[in-house]
Amino acid sequence: MTEISSEQIYLDYRSKVAAYISSHIRNKEDAEDLVSDVFMKVHASLDKFDEKKASVSTWIYTITRNTVTDFLRRNHISEELPEDAPSPLLTEESYMKEETLSELASALNELEDDERRIIALRYGSGFPLTEIAEKLDLSYGAVKIRHRKALNKLEELMKNKI
Amino acid sequence: MEQILKNLFDFQRFARDPALQRIIDEAENYTEAIELSDDMLDLAAGGTAIDPQKIKGAKK
């Protein structure tokens, strides 16, 4: 197993952890505290990390996401964060890799422009379909149909990759 | 598929794959351009002035 130090992990991942936390936590002080919490947890569990089970990136992302989830729960803030993997056969470890993000980008580029934008706005920016319809100057019905078409196409394009 | 996309895009907030980020940015910039062009049409028709914040946003 590659020797990984806490210091190197901090240098390599601090900005990613901070960016992720800031996207979910508005209060700057809370966000900074949570960044520290994440790296304390990383340091505390580094000896248990097994590279065969997950990449460093996925491992740190999971710690970060769980830290944010715990914070939101403790503070009774309701926010949609990803739930567990949809099926026992399809675990997060099987598709939550950086390569999958590149493959998703390639698949999105094969969609029609409107379809790609709807997916990006819905899942990337978090807008509901009603708001996406306003933003794209389309009817709600048209957005719903294109959203469904895009999901079906992506399922086909991504099926061998996830 | 929806849940997988939610998970992947949430992971993107961490990993920031450049190709995927370009797609997200393009979609957001496209919607800003639509809003700005709607405002300009409104202005041309004698409507209210454009919100400077929107112009600022469109320069991204």
Side-chain angles (χ1 to χ4, degrees):
Chain A
M1 189 172 84
T2 317
E3 285 293 318
I4 311 164
S5 71
S6 293
E7 291 78 15
Q8 193 57 50
I9 287 177
Y10 182 82
L11 288 172
D12 290 346
Y13 288 97
R14 199 214 175 271
S15 59
K16 290 186 177 189
V17 168
Y20 178 86
I21 290 173
S22 300
S23 74
H24 289 293
I25 306 292
R26 288 198 183 92
N27 182 286
K28 229 179 153 187
E29 278 174 18
D30 287 340
E32 284 170 6
D33 286 346
L34 290 178
V35 170
S36 301
D37 285 351
V38 165
F39 286 103
M40 277 170 46
K41 289 176 188 176
V42 166
H43 178 72
S45 53
L46 189 55
D47 58 342
K48 297 187 209 79
F49 170 63
D50 183 353
E51 270 183 301
K52 293 190 209 87
K53 289 188 179 166
S55 68
V56 174
S57 177
T58 306
W59 176 59
I60 293 173
Y61 162 70
T62 305
I63 292 173
T64 306
R65 186 192 63 191
N66 291 344
T67 302
V68 168
T69 306
D70 290 345
F71 174 84
L72 294 173
R73 211 171 278 145
R74 275 198 313 274
N75 290 276
H76 309 290
I77 302 168
S78 69
E79 184 178 323
E80 205 181 315
L81 276 179
E83 294 160 14
D84 291 337
S87 96
L89 296 176
L90 187 58
T91 61
E92 281 188 5
E93 284 80 14
S94 70
Y95 68 90
M96 294 280 267
K97 305 172 205 170
E98 279 159 336
E99 305 93 84
T100 312
L101 296 178
S102 304
E103 284 157 3
L104 176 58
S106 297
L108 285 168
N109 281 324
E110 295 195 42
L111 301 182
E112 301 286 334
D113 290 347
D114 275 349
E115 292 169 352
R116 183 178 57 256
R117 287 174 189 138
I118 288 166
I119 296 294
L121 292 168
R122 175 76 190 91
Y123 302 99
S125 308
F127 292 113
L129 294 184
T130 46
E131 217 174 309
I132 292 171
E134 280 177 39
K135 285 178 177 295
L136 294 179
D137 220 6
L138 295 169
S139 71
Y140 175 63
V143 167
K144 265 187 82 169
I145 289 169
R146 289 172 208 198
H147 174 246
R148 178 45 52 192
K149 274 181 73 178
L151 289 180
N152 292 342
K153 285 186 192 177
L154 284 174
E155 193 148 4
E156 199 53 40
L157 290 164
M158 299 284 290
K159 69 180 175 190
N160 297 325
K161 305 179 199 297
I162 52 171
Chain B
M1 193 66 210
E2 280 200 74
Q3 192 55 56
I4 290 172
L5 285 176
K6 282 180 189 172
N7 287 355
L8 285 173
F9 275 95
D10 190 70
F11 183 38
Q12 168 65 11
R13 289 190 180 93
F14 175 84
R16 300 188 79 80
D17 175 84
L20 192 49
Q21 196 55 47
R22 275 195 295 275
I23 290 171
I24 296 168
D25 291 344
E26 190 276 335
E28 290 181 353
N29 290 340
Y30 182 81
T31 61
E32 283 182 19
I34 289 179
E35 279 180 30
L36 189 65
S37 101
D38 283 349
D39 284 345
M40 290 182 83
L41 284 171
D42 190 42
L43 192 66
T48 52
I50 295 173
D51 180 354
Q53 284 303 313
K54 287 189 179 175
I55 297 174
K56 212 173 166 185
K59 280 184 182 170
K60 271 200 279 191

